[in-house]
Amino acid sequence: MQLNQAYDRVKAIDWEPTYISQADRQVEATRFHLEGLRPVDPFKTFVREYVEAEHEKENRHYAIVEASSRLSGGPPEARWMEAMKFGLSNLIGVEYMAARQMGRMARSVAPMELRQGYMMQMLDEMRHSNLEMNVIRQHMRTWRDPAGYDIAGKAAGNNVGAGIFRAMAEDLMTADPVETSLGLQVFIETAYSNVFFVGLSAAAAAQGDNVLTSTMLTIQSDEARHMANGWATLTTLIQDDRNIPLIQDALEKWSWRSHVSFGLGNMLFADYFVKNRTESAKEQSMRWVFDEFYGGFYQKLEKYGIQQPRHLETMMSDLDWTSHSAATYLFGAWPVFFHRMDPLTDRDIEWFEKKYPGFDTHFGPFWRAYGQCKDPRDRRLVLKELGGLPNFCEVCQRPTIFPRPDIATGRTILYAGNEHVLCSDGCEAIFRADAGHYRGFRSFYDLYEGQDIADVVRDLGYVRPDGKTLIAQPELEPAQMWTLDDLRACDFEIVRPPKPPRGATLTEPLPC
């Protein structure tokens, strides 16, 4: 029997239950129109074939992990391994979000062909979270300083830097299920797939982290199927003209949301978590995201009336400074993280100046000040020297220092009698469209305002087993490790900064 015949026979087993109505079956309503649409099946894959393929990939991957642990040619780069404590901790939550979202789609979308793809993707995402947890376990067992890896799951849930990824995941898990599918499959899994999985794999290999390299490559083979899911969803939705403006709104939102969260993380990893560099984060993003995705994939939608995102030019210009502004925040707030930092060397600064002309003018003073605040005996905390932590955007949870601290675009919106801090035109447009969706996030200042930074670090749990030495350190091999007592001697209290200038008063949600 030919594949198409066999597949049609299996599909014929599906039925419409009589004991529950269609409305009751669809637990979450969607504003998109799906009635009577005929999807193109992206896979035509049987469950048996899917399981066999995944089983083979698992065997190959774990054989590589075992061989790597036994035949290692030497330890990976320390800068990379320490930064991965922060980087890897955030991936698991994103994968869980994706798995949950595919379950939502399977219960919200009627056509069997799409539901089949969503259910297989849900299994993929659970596999990915397990693979990434295993990388953390492997690094915890083999890296010379496991502190930080051992609390990765907890830290992803309470770290102020990880708030960027939590905010994205929580938005994806609570938005309209079909909108969420577009955000996840079109942007995170199509636009950013190569820059993340190929770029991160190459970076990991260059730093000697063969375990993560194999993990990213075995995950990437699943991502091709997820891209097909996204295209099948899009081509199904555009069959009904009523969906076109809804698709446009969703793509507008998630082009920006993915840029300020997943895109920001990619750039930070590619520029600052590596010692052995190949190309800059800007070069990677321009090639894979803006040239290939926006210049290729996205253009296919123009014939259906879908326009390019309104903030596309801003997104591209942000690439000049995004990773450096993010690093200023990451290193400046080092005590409230959970890994050892590796500040820039003269060689790093020279490379950045070549790739990002003007880097030394705008960011050189920070790194020189940072170099004077590393020894705990000097009682100088770079965060205090900077004047404290910045505001955080209520939509994306980025600090309001982007695209660059001296030209930051943060603003304050008055809504329902309360002031709300936003970082950019993009996040303001998202807030205006659905302000109530973003008002409940408890910020770092809601939790810790008025407390000494030493008490904050202790409450977060970022302390080593002796109960006093910090997990985070401002350099890889400090002559003396910072302790809670050292932090307390710096006399730094968490103070909510003044809000940025107020913009227009928003009395009710307005269209984007």
Side-chain angles (χ1 to χ4, degrees), residues 49-61:
E49 295 171 343
Y50 166 80
V51 172
E52 288 174 351
E54 297 303 296
H55 179 65
E56 181 179 353
K57 287 194 291 188
E58 293 283 276
N59 286 339
R60 289 179 180 177
H61 168 66

Side-chain angles (χ1 to χ4, degrees), residues 380-416:
R380 295 188 65 187
L381 189 64
V382 68
L383 186 58
K384 186 175 182 179
E385 301 290 329
L386 291 172
L389 290 165
N391 284 289
F392 298 96
C393 176
E394 291 194 32
V395 171
C396 70
Q397 293 300 310
R398 287 193 308 173
T400 55
I401 59 173
F402 291 91
R404 203 176 65 212
D406 61 311
I407 53 172
T409 56
R411 76 285 307 269
T412 302
I413 290 290
L414 186 64
Y415 174 75

Side-chain angles (χ1 to χ4, degrees), residues 160 325 328-337 366 381-392 399-401 405 444-445 451 453 490-498:
V160 65
S325 296
T328 299
Y329 168 65
L330 178 75
F331 283 78
W334 71 262
V336 291
F337 284 83
F366 166 78
L381 189 64
V382 68
L383 186 58
K384 186 175 182 179
E385 301 290 329
L386 291 172
L389 290 165
N391 284 289
F392 298 96
T400 55
I401 59 173
F444 184 79
Y445 299 112
Q451 296 189 32
I453 191 171
C490 292
D491 190 27
F492 180 74
E493 179 183 306
I494 303 298
V495 176
R496 192 186 299 262

Side-chain angles (χ1 to χ4, degrees), residues 346-411:
D346 291 340
R347 178 169 171 261
D348 293 323
I349 293 174
E350 180 181 355
W351 188 87
F352 277 132
E353 183 62 34
K354 179 180 178 181
K355 294 292 185 177
Y356 301 91
F359 168 84
D360 193 34
T361 298
H362 296 295
F363 295 96
F366 166 78
W367 291 108
R368 285 184 275 277
Y370 187 90
Q372 299 172 14
C373 300
K374 295 187 297 184
D375 193 327
R377 291 167 292 193
D378 293 334
R379 297 295 190 255
R380 295 188 65 187
L381 189 64
V382 68
L383 186 58
K384 186 175 182 179
E385 301 290 329
L386 291 172
L389 290 165
N391 284 289
F392 298 96
C393 176
E394 291 194 32
V395 171
C396 70
Q397 293 300 310
R398 287 193 308 173
T400 55
I401 59 173
F402 291 91
R404 203 176 65 212
D406 61 311
I407 53 172
T409 56
R411 76 285 307 269

Side-chain angles (χ1 to χ4, degrees), residues 224-505:
R225 185 165 55 246
H226 303 173
M227 295 180 202
N229 264 344
W231 183 247
T233 304
L234 268 174
T235 54
T236 301
L237 291 172
I238 59 181
Q239 294 174 27
D240 190 324
D241 289 343
R242 294 176 297 173
N243 285 326
I244 300 300
L246 302 178
I247 294 171
Q248 182 72 52
D249 288 346
L251 298 186
E252 286 281 357
K253 172 183 174 180
W254 286 103
S255 65
W256 183 258
R257 286 294 274 119
S258 56
H259 168 69
V260 298
S261 52
F262 210 68
L264 183 152
N266 282 331
M267 294 201 71
L268 181 64
F269 297 174
D271 271 347
Y272 281 86
F273 289 5
V274 295
K275 186 173 182 179
N276 302 316
R277 296 186 176 90
T278 51
E279 57 184 346
S280 69
K282 178 181 177 179
E283 291 168 330
Q284 290 182 13
S285 297
M286 284 301 301
R287 173 156 58 97
W288 279 320
V289 179
F290 293 94
D291 291 342
E292 291 189 4
F293 176 73
Y294 286 107
F297 177 94
Y298 207 97
Q299 283 189 346
K300 296 178 182 178
L301 302 176
E302 290 183 355
K303 62 183 178 182
Y304 302 107
I306 304 298
Q307 302 300 313
Q308 291 276 17
R310 72 181 67 178
H311 303 296
L312 187 59
E313 293 296 326
T314 300
M315 290 158 60
M316 288 191 287
S317 65
D318 281 355
L319 301 182
D320 290 331
W321 311 116
T322 290
S323 67
H324 314 307
S325 296
T328 299
Y329 168 65
L330 178 75
F331 283 78
W334 71 262
V336 291
F337 284 83
F338 50 100
H339 64 281
R340 299 181 189 226
M341 309 282 174
D342 187 21
L344 298 187
T345 64
D346 291 340
R347 178 169 171 261
D348 293 323
I349 293 174
E350 180 181 355
W351 188 87
F352 277 132
E353 183 62 34
K354 179 180 178 181
K355 294 292 185 177
Y356 301 91
F359 168 84
D360 193 34
T361 298
H362 296 295
F363 295 96
F366 166 78
W367 291 108
R368 285 184 275 277
Y370 187 90
Q372 299 172 14
C373 300
K374 295 187 297 184
D375 193 327
R377 291 167 292 193
D378 293 334
R379 297 295 190 255
R380 295 188 65 187
L381 189 64
V382 68
L383 186 58
K384 186 175 182 179
E385 301 290 329
L386 291 172
L389 290 165
N391 284 289
F392 298 96
C393 176
E394 291 194 32
V395 171
C396 70
Q397 293 300 310
R398 287 193 308 173
T400 55
I401 59 173
F402 291 91
R404 203 176 65 212
D406 61 311
I407 53 172
T409 56
R411 76 285 307 269
T412 302
I413 290 290
L414 186 64
Y415 174 75
N418 295 310
E419 292 185 326
H420 300 273
V421 175
L422 304 168
C423 69
S424 57
D425 290 343
C427 282
E428 181 178 343
I430 293 170
F431 187 85
R432 284 176 174 272
D434 190 10
H437 197 67
Y438 302 99
R439 296 174 62 197
F441 198 104
R442 295 187 69 195
S443 74
F444 184 79
Y445 299 112
D446 294 330
L447 297 172
Y448 295 116
E449 185 176 15
Q451 296 189 32
D452 188 278
I453 191 171
D455 295 325
V456 173
V457 172
R458 182 174 56 190
D459 183 71
L460 290 170
Y462 299 170
V463 183
R464 295 171 184 270
D466 64 6
K468 62 179 183 179
T469 306
L470 307 189
I471 292 177
Q473 297 294 323
E475 54 187 328
L476 292 177
E477 301 294 342
Q480 180 174 319
M481 300 271 274
W482 282 71
T483 67
L484 291 175
D485 289 340
D486 295 322
L487 272 188
R488 203 175 303 279
C490 292
D491 190 27
F492 180 74
E493 179 183 306
I494 303 298
V495 176
R496 192 186 299 262
K499 288 183 170 63
R502 181 183 291 184
T505 298

